[in-house]
Amino acid sequence: MFARKLLRYVFCLSLIYCGGAGIARAQSDGKAEAPAAISGERRADIKRLLDLMGVIADEMKSLDPVFESLKLRFTNVPAPVWEDLKKEFKAEFTPEMFLEAYLPIYARRFSAADVKELIKFYESPAGRKLVEATPIIREEAYSVGYERGLKIGQRIQERLRVKGYSPSET
């Protein structure tokens, strides 16, 4: 259960980063641009933007909590096995792999001019402050959302009880 929640959280982090660049107007013709087709300058600009936003670094960090949560569930697995698995997955999920995954997404959503403007913003003091504050904001927002979800769930359960319904036994 915890691992599933953690995986959802990691997925949400990825979505937040993709959406976080939405301060510029999105442009899309609905067609993905293959990473190899993205020009050298545009490719470098998108990589620079992703670096400034911390997207790829955060993707790399996202693997460790997944392993830690799984270790709590599979306590009978010895440490060397976990280390081998971690090496195997880190060899597959590399910064280059994430870059190749994000390049067409950003190329599809932002023009070359948009990317340059975003770079200017993320290089500015306000942009750097946003990148620095985003993990803290995200954590706070996650906590608020989690608490709200619990309260809503409790209220729904109470309303169902008042109407004569009880939880199904599984």
Side-chain angles (χ1 to χ4, degrees), residues 73-85:
R73 290 189 59 214
F74 294 89
T75 56
N76 60 333
V77 177
V81 173
W82 285 116
E83 289 307 312
D84 288 345
L85 283 170

Side-chain angles (χ1 to χ4, degrees), residues 40-56:
E41 180 183 355
R42 186 149 189 232
R43 181 182 187 87
D45 285 347
I46 293 171
K47 182 182 183 316
R48 176 76 178 134
L49 176 60
L50 294 172
D51 288 344
L52 288 167
M53 293 172 62
V55 173
I56 293 173

Side-chain angles (χ1 to χ4, degrees), residues 152-165:
I152 290 169
Q154 290 168 349
R155 289 177 61 195
I156 291 170
Q157 288 179 46
E158 182 56 36
R159 295 240 171 96
L160 288 171
R161 275 191 214 105
V162 168
K163 293 178 184 279
Y165 297 100

Side-chain angles (χ1 to χ4, degrees), residues 54-65 89-99 102:
V55 173
I56 293 173
D58 282 348
E59 288 283 8
M60 294 304 297
K61 290 179 205 169
S62 72
L63 292 175
D64 290 332
F89 278 85
K90 285 195 174 191
E92 181 180 345
F93 293 93
T94 64
E96 294 76 23
M97 188 273 317
F98 286 116
L99 175 63
Y102 278 101

Side-chain angles (χ1 to χ4, degrees), residues 9 13 16 132-149:
Y9 179 68
L13 289 177
I16 288 168
E132 203 173 286
T134 295
I136 298 160
I137 293 167
R138 193 179 312 113
E139 190 76 27
E140 290 176 19
Y142 178 79
S143 295
V144 168
Y146 180 79
E147 290 297 319
R148 187 177 326 123

